[in-house]
Amino acid sequence: MDVIFTLIFFIYGLIFGSFFNVVGLRVPKGSLFSQTRSYCDTCERTLTWKELIPVFSFMIQKGKCRKCQEEISPLYPFMELATGILVAFTYYRFGFSPALLLGLLLISLVIPITVSDIAYRRIPNKILLFFFPLFLIYHLVFPLTPLWDALLGAGIAFTLLLLILFLSKGGMGAGDLKYFTLLGFVFGTKGFLLTFFLAVLFGLVGGLITMKRTKQGAKTLIPFGPYIGLAAMTVLFYGDALITWYVSLLGF
């Protein structure tokens, strides 16, 4: 039965991944509801249902629009597949529990922001503001930490990122600050510190790989949002185990 439910969650993840792509690409342009039907970004032709099947349509069309033959960004199928895998794994990891709801909320936040940051180097305020009351309600109903710790986590995140933003003189964006602040509220103090550490670690490794590929050195523009999202999902799935492991190394 678990296999069947995992497959169902995977399929729904693919479908919502397609929607999250649209949110991430349209919200920064303020066009989320300006056109209800999906369309080709190049020729602006309205897409048929055959062209909207997550992942498979991209593969069948060989990554090109059926009319204008312009290449479709691989970001679309990649994020659809990533969403499907994350949603399925969240169910596999937590089953039907409050943690499943938290995971689905977090995925719904992380994926559109990742898409937006990759495409435009922007983390939209509208997405963050939309999810804050949802996480607040979740925290009040299923508190991960005491409310004071959630507020402290958000405060530490805001203060630390504001300091980095000031010292880096543009190396860290205001969107990253707001994103971390929201995650600080979600995870609390320890969870935020682990999220921040992992985001920096993932960003460092990913940044070095990207700079080597582009051969542009320090001039390479690297969106940090995807690494923040990856760190947040890691903390969701394995945060407690990582913190316990680290504390054991210290001999406490």
Side-chain angles (χ1 to χ4, degrees):
M1 198 67 177
D2 280 344
V3 174
I4 295 176
F5 277 119
T6 301
L7 180 60
I8 292 173
F9 273 88
F10 175 73
I11 294 172
Y12 272 101
L14 290 178
I15 296 171
F16 277 96
S18 181
F19 172 70
F20 294 153
N21 270 325
V22 173
V23 172
L25 292 171
R26 290 191 186 182
V27 166
K29 297 191 299 182
S31 60
L32 180 59
F33 299 109
S34 62
Q35 186 169 341
T36 57
R37 298 288 299 276
S38 296
Y39 55 88
C40 173
D41 293 330
T42 303
C43 65
E44 298 187 349
R45 176 181 60 88
T46 299
L47 303 180
T48 65
W49 69 268
K50 296 180 181 179
E51 299 169 274
L52 296 174
I53 303 173
V55 179
F56 295 103
S57 291
F58 182 88
M59 296 171 61
I60 293 172
Q61 296 170 208
K62 298 179 180 180
K64 295 183 179 180
C65 174
R66 291 174 61 187
K67 180 181 179 182
C68 66
Q69 292 298 303
E70 283 294 320
E71 291 189 357
I72 301 171
S73 172
L75 182 65
Y76 287 96
F78 179 82
M79 298 311 298
E80 288 167 353
L81 185 59
T83 306
I85 293 173
L86 284 173
V87 169
F89 186 74
T90 301
Y91 168 74
Y92 174 80
R93 184 83 169 81
F94 301 117
F96 289 106
S97 68
L100 172 64
L101 177 58
L102 175 63
L104 296 179
L105 281 174
L106 202 57
I107 293 169
S108 303
L109 168 72
V110 164
I111 297 297
I113 284 182
T114 298
V115 171
S116 178
D117 206 21
I118 291 175
Y120 307 115
R121 303 293 189 272
R122 289 180 59 189
I123 296 178
N125 290 331
K126 290 181 180 179
I127 295 179
L128 296 174
L129 290 173
F130 176 82
F131 278 95
F132 173 71
L134 298 181
F135 283 116
L136 176 60
I137 294 172
Y138 179 91
H139 190 88
L140 294 175
V141 178
F142 307 109
L144 292 173
T145 61
L147 182 59
W148 66 264
D149 186 54
L151 295 174
L152 180 61
I156 292 175
F158 179 83
T159 303
L160 177 60
L161 269 294
L162 185 63
L163 179 62
I164 294 174
L165 181 65
F166 176 76
L167 295 177
S168 65
K169 298 179 180 179
M172 181 78 72
D176 298 325
L177 181 153
K178 300 167 189 173
Y179 196 8
F180 268 124
T181 300
L182 177 57
L183 292 175
F185 177 81
V186 173
F187 291 124
T189 306
K190 292 189 292 185
F192 159 70
L193 293 175
L194 180 58
T195 303
F196 179 76
F197 170 77
L198 291 175
V200 172
L201 178 62
F202 295 154
L204 177 61
V205 174
L208 290 174
I209 294 173
T210 302
M211 285 189 288
K212 186 174 181 179
R213 288 182 58 191
T214 60
K215 298 180 181 180
Q216 294 181 356
K219 296 181 180 180
T220 306
L221 295 177
I222 302 173
F224 195 34
Y227 300 110
I228 300 174
L230 179 59
M233 297 310 303
T234 303
V235 171
L236 172 70
F237 295 135
Y238 301 110
D240 290 340
L242 288 172
I243 292 173
T244 300
W245 171 75
Y246 179 71
V247 171
S248 68
L249 288 180
L250 298 178
F252 294 145

